[in-house]
Amino acid sequence: MKLGVNIDHIATVRQARRTFEPDPVQAATESEKAGCDSIVCHLRKDRRHISDKDLELLKKTVRTKLNMEVSIDPEIVDIAARTVPDQATLVPEKRMELTTEGGLDVCAGFDKIKHVVGTLTGKGIEVSLFIDPDPDQIEASGETGAKIVEFHTGRYAEAFHAGEQYEKELDVIVNMTELARNKGLVVCAGHGLTYANVALIAGIKGIEELNIGHSIISRALFSGVYEAVKEMLELIK
Ligand code: PXP
């Protein structure tokens, strides 16, 4: 099981003052030193955290794999096509949301999404689609030409922390992982994963990579990025 570290929230703190620290690029380096398998960042339309300059520097410095989260907005797709990260993860994006609230609706936006997958794949970028663990979304994802899906684990995470019946949500992820793999897709997962809830997801056979941001960066405030990433790696491995 691999770990991708999302470093957006280091930039969120910096942007609170529109200054130069803390530096998300340094967080990426520390995460890699601790042994993570990829660095994830989301260049949002409103640039609320990661900036164009951060992306440029990450492209130059990341030694593992740079996974850029990309909305299907033409400006952002164009930047991704010019930057050529190792991987692009297509995500839905709403201006007022606090975080990515759900998966991409590949069924509803099929033609546009297929076009973006083709554009980015044509540049040699591996493309992943961030979707809800749902059979129709999996089917449509495969038909876009994308080779990877990342399941949104938010519903499981919310149920877990609310003390509700999270087993049902876990079963959905287990079953949808099997379905996606049978269709030849690589399966990743992420969103809302924490030190407390990660083990059950990390135990699912067939998921290859977890992408985690907020919880790791939160812990890093007290322990440092290196220790926070190491501890998460130990939990998922
Ligand atoms: N994966 C994707 C596609 C995301 O959009 C995000 C949030 O930016 C994450 C993983 C990480 O979510 P969290 O910050 O809740 O760990």
Side-chain angles (χ1 to χ4, degrees):
M1 178 77 68
K2 293 179 180 166
L3 172 64
V5 178
N6 181 315
I7 45 134
D8 290 343
H9 292 304
I10 296 286
T12 303
V13 176
R14 179 192 62 195
Q15 294 312 104
R17 281 293 183 92
R18 305 264 189 282
T19 178
F20 54 86
E21 62 185 2
D23 180 8
V25 179
Q26 190 182 354
T29 308
E30 285 293 303
S31 300
E32 290 190 314
K33 270 200 254 168
C36 79
D37 301 283
S38 59
I39 297 297
V40 187
C41 69
H42 185 178
L43 185 76
R44 278 184 173 265
K45 183 86 174 159
D46 63 10
R47 307 298 198 272
R48 69 173 72 157
H49 36 55
I50 293 294
S51 69
D52 299 61
K53 184 75 189 166
D54 294 327
L55 181 67
E56 209 180 290
L57 289 171
L58 287 166
K59 165 73 185 173
K60 286 187 184 145
T61 55
V62 167
R63 293 281 170 266
T64 52
K65 174 178 89 172
L66 179 61
N67 179 2
M68 176 184 175
E69 291 182 21
V70 176
S71 71
I72 59 164
D73 181 278
E75 181 214 352
I76 304 295
V77 173
D78 191 49
I79 293 172
R82 278 188 279 117
T83 305
V84 192
D86 302 289
Q87 185 177 320
T89 298
L90 300 193
V91 296
E93 192 177 303
K94 290 190 218 130
R95 227 178 165 71
M96 297 307 284
E97 68 188 353
L98 288 177
T99 180
T100 315
E101 282 167 355
L104 197 61
D105 191 344
V106 185
C107 303
F110 185 79
D111 291 343
K112 270 191 196 160
I113 292 167
K114 187 173 179 194
H115 179 74
V116 173
V117 172
T119 303
L120 297 178
T121 305
K123 295 281 175 187
I125 303 167
E126 281 202 281
V127 180
S128 171
L129 303 182
F130 187 46
I131 57 170
D132 289 325
D134 168 87
D136 293 340
Q137 296 297 339
I138 293 168
E139 180 75 33
S141 296
E143 287 170 9
T144 64
K147 301 280 182 281
I148 311 168
V149 288
E150 177 179 341
F151 290 147
H152 194 298
T153 47
R155 286 171 64 143
Y156 156 77
E158 272 173 31
F160 186 98
H161 288 285
E164 289 165 7
Q165 295 284 319
Y166 59 80
E167 292 85 352
K168 201 177 104 226
E169 302 299 343
L170 196 64
D171 277 352
V172 170
I173 298 169
V174 170
N175 294 334
M176 292 305 107
T177 299
E178 200 184 333
L179 181 71
R181 283 179 62 90
N182 287 342
K183 292 193 179 297
L185 294 162
V186 170
V187 178
C188 304
H191 209 281
L193 297 179
T194 66
Y195 294 84
N197 71 24
V198 75
L200 293 169
I201 297 287
I204 297 176
K205 236 176 85 198
I207 296 184
E208 298 201 3
E209 186 169 55
L210 301 180
N211 293 313
I212 308 179
H214 189 262
S215 189
I216 291 178
I217 301 308
S218 302
R219 181 157 300 205
L221 286 173
F222 302 101
S223 65
V225 172
Y226 182 90
E227 285 303 323
V229 171
K230 264 230 155 334
E231 218 176 312
M232 186 58 87
L233 276 166
E234 273 160 30
L235 274 175
I236 70 172
K237 282 176 180 159

